[in-house]
């Protein structure tokens, strides 16, 4: 029995170190890709993370694998924010704050998403990520609708598509405040009166 227990501490540090290295690589890749785009040097990612290239490639055998991990990490962070905001006193403010965070995310990750689009493997991940975002938006919108503030004819897909549309249409905009102004218009419509057919 002592022998069995003796093996556990010997294995755990290796697993922990591997996990820490993976998390450090993802966090560092976030910074490097933000600075230099999705084609940034992977050796630079490894150098800044304080590991060798071999360690990087053991965790992420190619660029798409690392891009996918970075994008998933960002989306999970965005969805975790939705969970935190869902406990806010104001459902309206929670939805508005999350949509603003989503807009920042959508504008900042176009390069990563575009880089993954040319690969075949991450297609399933893209669908999964869309579902995660849609579910987060649906939960916050449902809260605002239950409290009688958000218009009942809106869907989470409507809001997600509108925010993505703003991100795409302002990608090369010179007006720094334009994305936020457009989102404000969307938010105004979110709490407006449903359109009545004549």
């Amino acid at each position: 029995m002592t022998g069995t227990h003796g093996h556990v501490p010997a294995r755990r540090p290796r697993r922990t170190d591997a996990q820490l290295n993976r998390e450090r690589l993802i966090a560092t890749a976030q910074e490097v890709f933000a600075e230099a785009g999705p084609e940034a040097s992977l050796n630079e990612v490894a150098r800044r993370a304080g590991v060798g290239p071999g360690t990087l490639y053991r965790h992420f055998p190619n660029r798409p694998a690392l891009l996918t991990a970075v994008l998933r990490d960002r989306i999970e962070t965005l969805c975790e924010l939705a969970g935190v905001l869902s406990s806010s006193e104001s459902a309206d403010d929670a939805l508005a704050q999350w949509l603003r965070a989503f807009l920042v995310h959508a504008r900042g990750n176009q390069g990563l998403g575009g880089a993954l689009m040319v690969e075949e493997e991450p297609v399933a991940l893209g669908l999964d990520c869309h579902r995660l975002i849609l579910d987060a938006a649906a939960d916050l919108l449902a809260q605002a609708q239950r409290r009688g503030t958000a218009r009942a004819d809106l869907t989470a897909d409507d809001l997600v598509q509108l925010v993505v549309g703003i991100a795409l249409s302002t990608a090369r905009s010179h007006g720094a405040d334009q994305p936020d102004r457009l989102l404000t218009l969307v938010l105004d419509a979110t709490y407006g009166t449903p359109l009545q057919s004549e």
Side-chain angles (χ1 to χ4, degrees), residues 175-190:
D177 65 333
Q178 187 180 34
D180 193 63
R181 286 193 298 105
L182 291 174
L183 182 58
T184 297
L185 291 173
V186 169
L187 290 170
D188 287 346
T190 298

Side-chain angles (χ1 to χ4, degrees), residues 155-178:
T155 68
D157 190 57
D158 292 335
L159 290 178
V160 168
Q161 294 295 336
L162 285 166
V163 173
V164 170
I166 291 173
L168 291 173
S169 65
T170 60
R172 291 179 170 80
S173 172
H174 295 296
D177 65 333
Q178 187 180 34

Side-chain angles (χ1 to χ4, degrees), residues 10 16 33 36 41 65 67 73 82 100 102 116 124-125 140 142 150 159-160 165 167 169 182 190:
T16 301
F33 289 149
S41 166
L67 289 171
D73 186 70
R100 291 189 192 285
F102 177 40
L116 285 172
L125 174 93
L140 291 171
L159 290 178
V160 168
S169 65
L182 291 174
T190 298

Side-chain angles (χ1 to χ4, degrees), residues 56-130:
L56 185 149
Y57 286 107
R58 274 196 298 276
H59 288 283
F60 308 104
N62 51 44
R63 183 179 301 275
L66 181 56
L67 289 171
T68 296
V70 168
L71 188 58
R72 175 174 284 282
D73 186 70
R74 291 180 181 180
I75 288 173
E76 287 175 351
T77 298
L78 182 69
C79 293
E80 285 169 7
L81 174 62
V84 172
L85 290 172
S86 66
S87 61
S88 301
E89 288 186 13
S90 170
D92 294 0
D93 289 344
L95 179 60
Q97 284 185 52
W98 188 80
L99 288 175
R100 291 189 192 285
F102 177 40
L103 177 58
V104 171
H105 165 88
R107 297 190 81 228
N109 290 296
Q110 286 179 36
L112 287 183
L116 285 172
M117 284 292 187
V118 301
E119 303 292 337
E120 293 182 7
E121 291 180 7
V123 170
L125 174 93
L127 295 173
D128 181 41
C129 287
H130 180 71

